[in-house]
Amino acid sequence: MLTSSLLFIPSLHDFLFSLLPPGLAKGAEMVLVGIIYLTIFAVAGLFLVLLERKVAARFQLRLGPNRVGYGGSMQTLADALKLLSKELTGTVRADKFLFNLAPYFVIITALMALAVLPFSQSMQVFDINIGLFFLIALSSVGVIGILLAGWGSNNKYAMIGAMRSGVQTISYELSVGLSLVTMVLLAGSLQLSQIVEVQKSGWLIVQGHIPALIAFMIFMIAGTAETNRAPFDLVEAESELGAGFHTEYSGMKFAYFFLAEFINMFIIAAIAVIVFFGAWLSPFGITESLPWLGVFWFLGKTFLVVLLMMWFRWTFPRLRVDQLLTLEWKYLLPLNLANLVLMAVTVWLNLTIQF
């Protein structure tokens, strides 16, 4: 099933189709949806950057941003305006086409992933029957932008960072995919809305016993590595590579990479909430009577997972490359395969917990 409409603003949807011919109304609706999601993309990115800086300050016993706006609340907006005004620089030896194309690969894949996330029962742009598979596929496309940035920069530090990203993403994609397949066995569907519906009788992390808990732990570790965040930030290792694959970028092109990292973190957290914690479903069973409350529950759960990922960053030291690959290939992957079999046996024997 594929839907695309302003389902979360039904009066506007009806107004457009009453005012315009069906073709034009559909086009206008798509433009409005795009504008809304671009706004969500920008606001969420700015908020997450501010949240990261505040969380880091708390961990390091300092104040963090506290000058621009109330409590430093406008600091990231000021930084964004500064980046907008900066000159777009590059190197003479750079491959201009690839160098300029790379940021758009990263930002567009993140925006496409946002489009399939169900913020509530009635707020989802695309509800496709292979939603989870679509998200996994997009995570593979995003790394192309990083590889293009490293290669196109014609800089040895950028190239090393890009190659590290390729190795890291290819490796940890396996664990991300297998942990989600483990939960698909339990849910019985790849469609995100159906996965949430199954959880009306209990969150999947509870229904699935120990295999679901193991799958969640592996997903969080591998998802953090997929977003190139500490302790898996070898791609941008400041002490070794300057800034890694985006060393030569400035202005808004640098901001695209920076923003995409935080949006990808939000997407990983949102997938965890959808697959393991019931997405928009309330623990108190009142989401159905108050549809907009579903957005509150979804965002609340998602930001708790985001805080967990930030906790990882400011707690653990950076791994070496050999430790990074050893963790995946010698530990996470075999554990994931064994857990997949264990979940299959659990579902076959009908041992899931129902409420």
Side-chain angles (χ1 to χ4, degrees):
M1 182 176 67
L2 175 63
T3 61
S4 172
S5 64
L6 292 173
L7 296 175
F8 47 96
I9 316 177
S11 58
L12 183 56
H13 171 79
D14 296 337
F15 173 74
L16 286 173
F17 275 82
S18 64
L19 186 66
L20 300 169
L24 288 176
K26 193 70 173 177
E29 189 178 50
M30 289 181 178
V31 170
L32 286 173
V33 168
I35 293 171
I36 290 169
Y37 268 77
L38 282 171
T39 304
I40 292 172
F41 190 97
V43 172
L46 293 175
F47 174 75
L48 287 169
V49 173
L50 179 64
L51 181 65
E52 174 86 271
R53 295 175 71 177
K54 286 290 189 181
V55 169
R58 290 290 182 180
F59 272 91
Q60 297 168 359
L61 301 179
R62 54 185 178 83
L63 295 176
N66 62 351
R67 300 286 181 180
V68 184
Y70 178 75
S73 58
M74 303 300 288
Q75 182 63 59
T76 51
L77 179 59
D79 292 340
L81 292 174
K82 181 190 73 173
L83 287 170
L84 274 170
S85 66
K86 290 289 184 181
E87 181 183 0
L88 298 176
T89 62
T91 61
V92 176
R93 298 182 301 166
D95 184 320
K96 301 297 183 186
F97 176 73
L98 297 181
F99 183 81
N100 293 322
L101 179 65
Y104 298 101
F105 257 99
V106 176
I107 209 84
I108 288 172
T109 52
L111 187 59
M112 289 173 66
L114 275 182
V116 298
L117 297 180
F119 288 86
S120 74
Q121 190 168 6
S122 58
M123 187 176 175
Q124 184 180 11
V125 176
F126 292 111
D127 185 18
I128 51 180
N129 57 4
I130 55 167
L132 208 54
F133 179 76
F134 180 75
L135 288 170
I136 295 171
L138 280 178
S139 70
S140 304
V141 175
V143 73
I144 295 175
I146 296 176
L147 291 171
L148 290 179
W151 177 266
S153 296
N154 201 2
N155 176 295
K156 61 183 178 182
Y157 298 115
M159 190 61 194
I160 292 171
M163 294 306 294
R164 283 182 177 182
S165 177
V167 170
Q168 185 170 317
T169 303
I170 291 169
S171 298
Y172 281 87
E173 264 180 5
L174 294 171
S175 284
V176 169
L178 285 173
S179 60
L180 293 177
V181 167
T182 301
M183 301 311 294
V184 168
L185 283 176
L186 183 60
S189 176
L190 286 167
Q191 189 169 346
L192 298 180
S193 59
Q194 290 299 316
I195 292 173
V196 179
E197 288 296 318
V198 168
Q199 297 180 73
K200 286 187 174 179
S201 58
W203 292 349
L204 287 183
I205 196 168
V206 179
Q207 290 188 43
H209 296 286
I210 293 176
L213 185 60
I214 293 172
F216 172 69
M217 294 171 64
I218 293 174
F219 177 79
M220 288 307 301
I221 295 170
T224 304
E226 279 272 283
T227 55
N228 299 323
R229 290 179 56 81
F232 307 100
D233 60 336
L234 291 161
V235 176
E236 306 173 19
E238 294 88 353
S239 57
E240 305 166 25
L241 304 178
F245 62 91
H246 54 65
T247 298
E248 300 293 350
Y249 284 89
S250 66
M252 279 309 295
K253 290 178 184 176
F254 166 77
Y256 287 160
F257 285 114
F258 192 65
L259 188 61
E261 177 186 325
F262 285 90
I263 295 299
N264 286 331
M265 177 175 61
F266 176 85
I267 291 167
I268 289 291
I271 294 171
V273 166
I274 293 165
V275 174
F276 296 97
F277 298 108
W280 68 78
L281 296 176
S282 165
F284 312 110
I286 57 176
T287 304
E288 290 74 13
S289 58
L290 299 170
W292 278 97
L293 196 58
V295 179
F296 168 79
W297 287 117
F298 179 83
L299 293 178
K301 295 173 188 176
T302 300
F303 280 113
L304 284 176
V305 179
V306 165
L307 286 173
L308 178 62
M309 296 176 74
M310 291 180 178
W311 190 356
F312 290 166
R313 175 170 185 173
W314 301 106
T315 304
F316 300 110
R318 181 185 299 137
L319 299 177
R320 297 195 313 264
V321 174
D322 60 312
Q323 293 172 330
L324 180 86
L325 297 178
T326 296
L327 175 64
E328 166 60 17
W329 293 101
K330 289 188 177 180
Y331 296 100
L332 292 185
L333 185 58
L335 179 60
N336 227 330
L337 291 170
N339 193 51
L340 183 62
V341 174
L342 185 60
M343 178 62 83
V345 171
T346 301
V347 173
W348 180 49
L349 296 177
N350 197 24
L351 297 177
T352 57
I353 300 174
Q354 301 292 327
F355 294 88

